[in-house]
PDB file of all heavy atoms in Angstrom:
ATOM      1  N   ARG A 243     125.780  88.973  77.916  1.00 97.00           N
ATOM      2  CA  ARG A 243     124.955  88.587  76.783  1.00 97.00           C
ATOM      3  C   ARG A 243     124.629  87.105  76.924  1.00 97.00           C
ATOM      4  O   ARG A 243     125.107  86.439  77.843  1.00 97.00           O
ATOM      5  CB  ARG A 243     125.696  88.884  75.476  1.00 97.00           C
ATOM      6  CG  ARG A 243     126.041  90.358  75.312  1.00 97.00           C
ATOM      7  CD  ARG A 243     126.767  90.640  74.011  1.00 97.00           C
ATOM      8  NE  ARG A 243     127.173  92.037  73.937  1.00 97.00           N
ATOM      9  CZ  ARG A 243     127.734  92.594  72.876  1.00 97.00           C
ATOM     10  NH1 ARG A 243     127.981  91.869  71.786  1.00 97.00           N
ATOM     11  NH2 ARG A 243     128.066  93.878  72.882  1.00 97.00           N
ATOM     12  N   LEU A 244     123.838  86.580  76.005  1.00 96.00           N
ATOM     13  CA  LEU A 244     123.346  85.212  76.143  1.00 96.00           C
ATOM     14  C   LEU A 244     123.570  84.391  74.882  1.00 96.00           C
ATOM     15  O   LEU A 244     123.270  84.840  73.770  1.00 96.00           O
ATOM     16  CB  LEU A 244     121.846  85.227  76.459  1.00 96.00           C
ATOM     17  CG  LEU A 244     121.175  83.867  76.642  1.00 96.00           C
ATOM     18  CD1 LEU A 244     121.612  83.234  77.958  1.00 96.00           C
ATOM     19  CD2 LEU A 244     119.659  84.003  76.610  1.00 96.00           C
ATOM     20  N   VAL A 245     124.097  83.190  75.076  1.00 96.00           N
ATOM     21  CA  VAL A 245     124.170  82.186  74.016  1.00 96.00           C
ATOM     22  C   VAL A 245     123.423  80.951  74.506  1.00 96.00           C
ATOM     23  O   VAL A 245     123.663  80.488  75.630  1.00 96.00           O
ATOM     24  CB  VAL A 245     125.628  81.816  73.671  1.00 96.00           C
ATOM     25  CG1 VAL A 245     125.672  80.618  72.738  1.00 96.00           C
ATOM     26  CG2 VAL A 245     126.351  83.005  73.039  1.00 96.00           C
ATOM     27  N   VAL A 246     122.499  80.439  73.701  1.00 95.00           N
ATOM     28  CA  VAL A 246     121.760  79.229  74.060  1.00 95.00           C
ATOM     29  C   VAL A 246     122.474  78.022  73.466  1.00 95.00           C
ATOM     30  O   VAL A 246     122.850  78.023  72.290  1.00 95.00           O
ATOM     31  CB  VAL A 246     120.309  79.290  73.546  1.00 95.00           C
ATOM     32  CG1 VAL A 246     119.549  78.017  73.915  1.00 95.00           C
ATOM     33  CG2 VAL A 246     119.597  80.503  74.120  1.00 95.00           C
ATOM     34  N   ASP A 247     122.670  77.007  74.280  1.00 93.00           N
ATOM     35  CA  ASP A 247     123.379  75.798  73.865  1.00 93.00           C
ATOM     36  C   ASP A 247     122.460  74.915  73.022  1.00 93.00           C
ATOM     37  O   ASP A 247     121.997  73.857  73.453  1.00 93.00           O
ATOM     38  CB  ASP A 247     123.876  75.039  75.100  1.00 93.00           C
ATOM     39  CG  ASP A 247     124.741  73.845  74.736  1.00 93.00           C
ATOM     40  OD1 ASP A 247     125.216  73.794  73.577  1.00 93.00           O
ATOM     41  OD2 ASP A 247     124.941  72.966  75.594  1.00 93.00           O
ATOM     42  N   THR A 257     120.790  85.747  70.707  1.00 91.00           N
ATOM     43  CA  THR A 257     122.094  86.291  71.053  1.00 91.00           C
ATOM     44  C   THR A 257     122.216  87.741  70.601  1.00 91.00           C
ATOM     45  O   THR A 257     122.741  88.590  71.325  1.00 91.00           O
ATOM     46  CB  THR A 257     123.217  85.442  70.416  1.00 91.00           C
ATOM     47  OG1 THR A 257     123.135  84.104  70.926  1.00 91.00           O
ATOM     48  CG2 THR A 257     124.582  86.022  70.713  1.00 91.00           C
ATOM     49  N   SER A 260     120.292  90.013  72.870  1.00 93.00           N
ATOM     50  CA  SER A 260     120.838  90.084  74.228  1.00 93.00           C
ATOM     51  C   SER A 260     121.966  91.088  74.367  1.00 93.00           C
ATOM     52  O   SER A 260     122.385  91.406  75.479  1.00 93.00           O
ATOM     53  CB  SER A 260     121.321  88.704  74.679  1.00 93.00           C
ATOM     54  OG  SER A 260     122.538  88.346  74.053  1.00 93.00           O
ATOM     55  N   ALA A 314     129.518  86.608  76.781  1.00 98.00           N
ATOM     56  CA  ALA A 314     128.228  85.930  76.885  1.00 98.00           C
ATOM     57  C   ALA A 314     128.301  84.723  77.803  1.00 98.00           C
ATOM     58  O   ALA A 314     129.324  84.016  77.850  1.00 98.00           O
ATOM     59  CB  ALA A 314     127.755  85.484  75.501  1.00 98.00           C
ATOM     60  N   VAL A 315     127.224  84.495  78.535  1.00 98.00           N
ATOM     61  CA  VAL A 315     127.051  83.232  79.246  1.00 98.00           C
ATOM     62  C   VAL A 315     126.454  82.229  78.263  1.00 98.00           C
ATOM     63  O   VAL A 315     125.853  82.604  77.255  1.00 98.00           O
ATOM     64  CB  VAL A 315     126.124  83.390  80.469  1.00 98.00           C
ATOM     65  CG1 VAL A 315     126.737  84.316  81.500  1.00 98.00           C
ATOM     66  CG2 VAL A 315     124.749  83.887  80.056  1.00 98.00           C
ATOM     67  N   VAL A 316     126.628  80.951  78.573  1.00 98.00           N
ATOM     68  CA  VAL A 316     126.048  79.883  77.752  1.00 98.00           C
ATOM     69  C   VAL A 316     125.024  79.150  78.612  1.00 98.00           C
ATOM     70  O   VAL A 316     125.354  78.615  79.666  1.00 98.00           O
ATOM     71  CB  VAL A 316     127.116  78.895  77.250  1.00 98.00           C
ATOM     72  CG1 VAL A 316     126.468  77.780  76.437  1.00 98.00           C
ATOM     73  CG2 VAL A 316     128.166  79.621  76.418  1.00 98.00           C
ATOM     74  N   THR A 317     123.782  79.147  78.171  1.00 96.00           N
ATOM     75  CA  THR A 317     122.722  78.530  78.948  1.00 96.00           C
ATOM     76  C   THR A 317     122.092  77.366  78.194  1.00 96.00           C
ATOM     77  O   THR A 317     122.125  77.302  76.962  1.00 96.00           O
ATOM     78  CB  THR A 317     121.644  79.569  79.321  1.00 96.00           C
ATOM     79  OG1 THR A 317     120.804  79.042  80.352  1.00 96.00           O
ATOM     80  CG2 THR A 317     120.787  79.939  78.122  1.00 96.00           C
TER      81      THR A 317
END
Side-chain angles (χ1 to χ4, degrees):
R243 300 180 184 185
L244 180 72
V245 171
V246 179
D247 186 17
T257 299
S260 75
V315 296
V316 178
T317 195

